[in-house]
Amino acid sequence: MAAESKGMRGRQTVRDMVLSMLAVGFVVWIGYLFLPHDADSDPVHVVEYKVAAATAKRAAPYPLLAPEGLSAKWRATSVSYTPADLDPGKGNAWHLGFVTPSGQYAAIEQADVPREKLLADKVAGGQSDGTSDAAGRTWDRLQGEKDRALAVQTGSATTVITGTASYEELAELAQALK
């Protein structure tokens, strides 16, 4: 009698487990139906930067630079201006990030801190790599561990165009700065 009871319990346990798995699978399937599945959508979240740039230009104690006339293929993804009193040691800092036409990253970084400090912060392992001319200025080229940059002194600030983009795309961004 005890052996029959154990065998019956074993079959009930397996049956209950299969029923539980079916119930969980059904709930997962229903959840899947209600989730968006647009695999062709663009994952880049584009931000508007012109108002932020105008506001930052009024607040910055140096000639703040922002691009004008870039094609729609340049998509702004991040923008910020942080006054020196809100982030001690970083100076008055302007940042504007883009996804370039080739799908790489490029950013404008501008701050009124010593040039070497800004370069060390924005271009890890940056080594001199010649110069480039853009926007009527000669920019120092730097090759970092993972990215590259163009850097120039603009008034009391240092302007760095950095990212994974090619020097040509960085120069195109530099050319658009006003």
Side-chain angles (χ1 to χ4, degrees):
M1 196 74 145
E4 277 182 39
S5 173
K6 267 189 176 179
M8 187 66 133
R9 255 188 287 148
R11 284 192 295 271
Q12 285 177 336
T13 303
V14 170
R15 187 181 123 254
D16 290 345
M17 182 177 69
V18 169
L19 290 174
S20 295
M21 287 175 53
L22 287 173
V24 169
F26 179 74
V27 170
V28 169
W29 179 72
I30 294 295
Y32 176 79
L33 290 177
F34 290 100
L35 291 176
H37 303 300
D38 193 0
D40 296 330
S41 70
D42 188 357
V44 175
H45 176 72
V46 176
V47 299
E48 173 54 49
Y49 66 89
K50 292 182 180 176
V51 172
T55 303
K57 283 184 178 194
R58 288 191 297 275
Y62 52 81
L64 188 132
L65 301 174
E68 292 179 13
L70 285 175
S71 77
K73 293 180 181 179
W74 286 82
R75 298 174 292 162
T77 58
S78 58
V79 61
S80 66
Y81 176 76
T82 308
D85 57 347
L86 291 182
D87 197 359
K90 299 280 185 173
N92 296 287
W94 166 242
H95 163 83
L96 179 56
F98 288 91
V99 172
T100 69
S102 70
Q104 295 298 310
Y105 180 73
I108 302 162
E109 306 288 352
Q110 201 173 11
D112 55 356
V113 296
R115 176 185 170 99
E116 291 72 29
K117 181 176 180 166
L118 184 63
L119 290 174
D121 186 40
K122 302 300 179 186
V123 189
Q127 300 294 317
S128 180
D129 193 23
T131 61
S132 289
D133 291 324
R137 297 181 175 108
T138 299
W139 298 70
D140 296 323
R141 290 167 48 152
L142 294 116
Q143 180 62 54
E145 295 167 4
K146 296 181 182 178
D147 50 6
R148 59 191 57 82
L150 301 176
V152 71
Q153 195 68 31
T154 50
S156 61
T158 299
T159 302
V160 178
I161 312 294
T162 185
T164 58
S166 67
Y167 282 127
E168 291 76 21
E169 282 187 315
L170 296 179
E172 183 179 345
L173 182 55
Q175 188 67 37
L177 295 180
K178 307 284 185 241

